[in-house]
Amino acid sequence: MYKRQADAPIELRIDFEELRKVTHLATHFLDNVIDANRYPLAANHDLAQQIRRVGLGIMGWADMLVRLGVPYDSTEGVELGRRVMEFVNEESRNASEKLSEGRGVFPQWAESNCGPDDKAAVRAPGERIRAERKLRNCNLTTVAPTGTISIFAGCSGGIEPLFAVAFMRNQAGSLMPDVNPDFVRMAKDGGWYSEELMEQIAQEGHIHFDEVPEAIQKVFRTAHDITPEWHVRMQAAFQEHTDSAISKTTNFAREATEDDVRQIYELAFSLGCKGVTVYRDGSRDGQVLSTGATTKSTEEVAEATAELTELKVQLADAREQNHNLRVE
């Protein structure tokens, strides 16, 4: 959904017309899915038909920012996210409104927030939460977790930043290397690509090397380069124009404290997020995504754990031996 004219303003490098077409097509498709689905329970079927909720979302956001040359953890990146999601949200409503002309509004429309004034929820007298609008679907947008789907599509997941330029993915118990193709392309175009550098990046889990131009480092901001605050601010920008909730992880370094987490929960609440998810790197064995640095640290922890277990066994044996001596 972007154009490659590097010297054009950001607004002109995003193909909003194509994005509009895709949004309308996807909304139509999702409305069809409601009727095509076979639900396990009659209650599920009845509710789906009554409210016709769909969840149009996005993925590949981090890839788009990289190709536009906009850092994820920047005011420009956050504002761009807000604008793009506002566009998608509004166009999905336009598509749903158009569908209602031929298919009718969802059955519980008159009882909903977008129904008549006497039923609509208000913030204050005369101030509706949603404008009255005849829609085919009660809710239209969300940002779902798209981990596996994004792998199939070859793009970044949801609105998450790049996890790393090169990392190991734990797929059904097998560690698989994953290298960002845009980074490789830019390295080759810039003449600073080498197999040795790529291996070093994969092993160390970052791109902060002298060979990597500063401009590239600025754009390829990964999950652990980005402070938790920017994770939440990006989520809040998308939440402002999203009907349902958002799947988004706020990544913390291994050294994060409980107070660090508390501050992020309070920030998310103050910015209007419907929820917040935090994850401290290396806090569990076998995490789905890990950099070379994380893997190394996990191995060190596993080694230390094994040593501790052996000491516990030796202590138990000593206690048993001491007990037997006293009995004798």
Side-chain angles (χ1 to χ4, degrees):
M1 299 304 168
Y2 64 94
K3 302 175 182 178
R4 291 187 178 273
Q5 295 92 334
D7 56 341
I10 292 295
E11 293 78 8
L12 299 180
R13 294 174 61 198
I14 299 175
D15 193 341
F16 281 106
E17 185 54 40
E18 184 65 21
L19 183 57
R20 176 181 289 107
K21 292 178 183 178
V22 171
T23 301
H24 281 245
L25 180 63
T27 303
H28 194 155
F29 170 81
L30 290 172
D31 188 63
N32 288 345
V33 168
I34 295 173
D35 298 320
N37 272 345
R38 294 185 177 182
Y39 297 91
L41 300 175
N44 297 142
H45 174 271
D46 292 343
L47 179 61
Q49 291 291 331
Q50 285 295 310
I51 63 178
R52 304 194 69 83
R53 179 193 292 125
V54 299
L56 178 63
I58 68 170
M59 59 184 179
W61 176 241
D63 294 328
M64 182 175 176
L65 289 177
V66 164
R67 296 175 190 184
L68 290 172
V70 178
Y72 188 99
D73 52 342
S74 67
T75 300
E76 183 181 13
V78 170
E79 289 306 314
L80 191 59
R82 181 177 286 109
R83 178 175 179 184
V84 168
M85 196 63 211
E86 180 180 18
F87 182 88
V88 171
N89 201 42
E90 179 60 23
E91 287 304 322
S92 67
R93 279 169 162 66
N94 291 340
S96 184
E97 190 171 37
K98 185 176 181 180
L99 285 171
S100 74
E101 295 174 1
R103 299 182 175 186
V105 296
F106 61 95
Q108 289 191 4
W109 175 81
E111 308 295 323
S112 72
N113 285 344
C114 60
D117 283 340
D118 60 332
K119 299 292 184 181
V122 296
R123 293 189 180 89
E127 185 183 354
R128 296 175 56 118
I129 291 178
R130 290 186 181 179
E132 180 175 346
R133 198 166 180 180
K134 293 186 175 181
L135 301 176
R136 175 67 171 165
N137 317 91
C138 72
N139 275 31
L140 286 143
T141 51
T142 188
V143 178
T146 60
T148 302
I149 297 174
S150 64
I151 296 173
F152 293 153
C155 66
S156 58
I159 62 169
E160 299 288 359
L162 300 174
F163 179 77
V165 172
F167 59 89
M168 302 302 292
R169 186 185 296 276
N170 189 335
Q171 197 75 14
S174 299
L175 290 178
M176 302 172 61
D178 196 316
V179 183
N180 185 278
D182 283 325
F183 183 81
V184 173
R185 173 179 56 80
M186 292 179 185
K188 290 181 176 180
D189 291 346
W192 46 272
Y193 175 89
S194 72
E195 291 290 345
E196 293 76 14
L197 177 60
M198 297 301 124
E199 290 178 8
Q200 190 175 13
I201 288 172
Q203 290 173 1
E204 298 296 330
H206 64 80
I207 62 172
H208 306 306
F209 299 101
D210 293 339
E211 298 91 328
V212 182
E214 185 177 345
I216 298 296
Q217 294 189 34
K218 182 178 180 181
V219 171
F220 278 91
R221 301 288 287 167
T222 59
H224 293 92
D225 291 324
I226 298 167
T227 61
E229 176 186 351
W230 283 107
H231 280 277
V232 173
R233 290 193 181 281
M234 184 65 79
Q235 177 180 338
F238 275 85
Q239 185 68 79
E240 188 175 330
H241 300 288
T242 301
D243 290 337
S244 300
I246 289 177
S247 173
K248 170 78 184 75
T249 300
T250 299
N251 295 93
F252 282 85
R254 295 174 64 87
E255 301 76 22
T257 66
E258 291 181 5
D259 189 60
D260 293 332
V261 175
R262 177 186 61 79
Q263 291 180 29
I264 287 306
Y265 270 80
E266 292 179 351
L267 176 63
F269 179 81
S270 69
L271 294 177
C273 295
K274 291 186 177 181
V276 61
T277 301
V278 301
Y279 185 78
R280 184 176 62 81
D281 189 38
S283 60
R284 56 175 292 182
D285 294 335
Q287 66 185 47
V288 176
L289 302 179
S290 61
T291 63
T294 299
T295 302
K296 181 179 179 181
S297 299
T298 302
E299 290 170 354
E300 291 172 348
V301 171
E303 184 178 347
T305 301
E307 292 177 357
L308 179 60
T309 300
E310 178 61 26
L311 288 173
K312 288 181 178 179
V313 171
Q314 292 177 12
L315 178 60
D317 290 342
R319 285 174 174 169
E320 182 179 5
Q321 184 178 14
N322 185 46
H323 173 74
N324 292 337
L325 288 174
R326 282 187 294 174
V327 172
E328 292 175 356

